[in-house]
Amino acid sequence: MEPGELHQSRTDVRTTYDRVAAEYANHLADELDHKPFDRKLLDWLVERVSPGGLICDLGCGPGHIARYISARGAKVCGIDLSPGMIEQARRLDPAIEFTVGDMLDLNEVGDGSWAGIAAFYAIVNLPAEGLAVAFAEMFRVLKPAGEVLLSFHIGNETQHREEWWGHQVMIDFYFLETAKIKELLTTSGFTLSEVIERDPYPEVEFPSRRAYIFARKPESAPII
């Protein structure tokens, strides 16, 4: 990887989501209404996190995951690379704190700040070299015994898109192999709790098989 290559990729991702933010919110802000399995897993995340602990909706988009977690009585915040997405999230849920930030460099978040992370499809725009960086940052910002719930599309293909809802964009979507993500999480220091796969909901979502991984930062892990 050449210096600046990953940074440029993140610029493309940010610009793409800024351009489609309003349409994304209109199309997907209520998607959990049609996904009972996803709701159950988020309920499980809330149950696993220590009472009063802060859960971050990482890669929050228009904030619908954060809104669901908040409705379950948990403390929640949201972070997204796209200022346009954060604008939509704040419009839809002004009571929740949403912040612009990059999961590859969460420099505004202190070590051991969060009790949990919900990263629903947050890694699907990361090339291979970015995954380990993202997982290392997740590990750093979690408290000992903190939980991350990660989801992604299963596969080994890359889908390139230059048009999205009538907007000119430049973005890649990476389908990921479950075994590889498990390996990267373990290498980053996490202990795997649950690994679950499901088929897509017909006529509700993109027709790809999905993976969900619960991973825990060991209780004995020091806060550096």
Side-chain angles (χ1 to χ4, degrees), residues 186-204:
T186 301
T187 301
S188 299
F190 286 100
T191 299
L192 302 183
S193 304
E194 307 285 344
V195 181
I196 307 166
E197 298 183 357
R198 72 163 172 86
D199 291 332
Y201 288 111
E203 301 180 7
V204 170

Side-chain angles (χ1 to χ4, degrees), residues 35 37-38 121 154 196-201 205 208-212:
K35 298 184 177 184
F37 185 76
D38 296 51
Y121 305 98
I154 300 172
I196 307 166
E197 298 183 357
R198 72 163 172 86
D199 291 332
Y201 288 111
E205 59 191 1
S208 64
R209 190 163 172 79
R210 315 299 175 101
Y212 302 81

Side-chain angles (χ1 to χ4, degrees), residues 37-208:
F37 185 76
D38 296 51
R39 298 197 304 270
K40 286 292 186 182
L41 291 182
L42 289 168
D43 291 345
W44 199 1
L45 175 65
V46 172
E47 292 172 8
R48 286 169 174 245
V49 169
S50 57
L54 180 63
I55 300 174
C56 179
D57 178 7
L58 188 58
C60 64
H64 52 300
I65 302 296
R67 179 168 65 252
Y68 183 86
I69 292 171
S70 178
R72 295 304 173 276
K75 291 175 59 178
V76 66
C77 64
I79 289 181
D80 198 275
L81 181 68
S82 161
M85 284 293 192
I86 292 298
E87 180 181 353
Q88 293 297 319
R90 289 171 176 168
R91 176 181 65 83
L92 293 168
D93 299 283
I96 297 174
E97 181 179 354
F98 292 104
T99 307
V100 176
D102 190 344
M103 72 179 70
L104 298 179
D105 185 12
L106 295 166
N107 53 42
E108 73 282 3
V109 183
D111 297 352
S113 294
W114 299 338
I117 295 172
F120 265 41
Y121 305 98
I123 62 172
V124 299
N125 304 121
L126 289 179
E129 62 270 15
L131 293 170
V133 177
F135 295 157
E137 276 293 83
M138 292 182 198
F139 189 88
R140 179 185 67 80
V141 299
L142 276 176
K143 298 177 182 293
E147 293 269 356
V148 57
L149 171 56
L150 186 74
S151 67
F152 53 91
H153 304 276
I154 300 172
N156 55 15
E157 64 186 279
T158 300
Q159 292 198 2
H160 181 72
R161 185 174 285 184
E162 296 184 6
E163 188 276 336
W164 197 0
W165 287 317
H167 295 276
Q168 182 179 353
V169 299
M170 185 68 65
I171 194 167
D172 291 324
F173 292 88
Y174 299 96
F175 290 59
L176 304 165
E177 296 176 337
T178 304
K180 180 61 175 179
I181 299 304
K182 289 167 60 178
E183 177 186 351
L184 287 171
L185 287 167
T186 301
T187 301
S188 299
F190 286 100
T191 299
L192 302 183
S193 304
E194 307 285 344
V195 181
I196 307 166
E197 298 183 357
R198 72 163 172 86
D199 291 332
Y201 288 111
E203 301 180 7
V204 170
E205 59 191 1
F206 184 85
S208 64

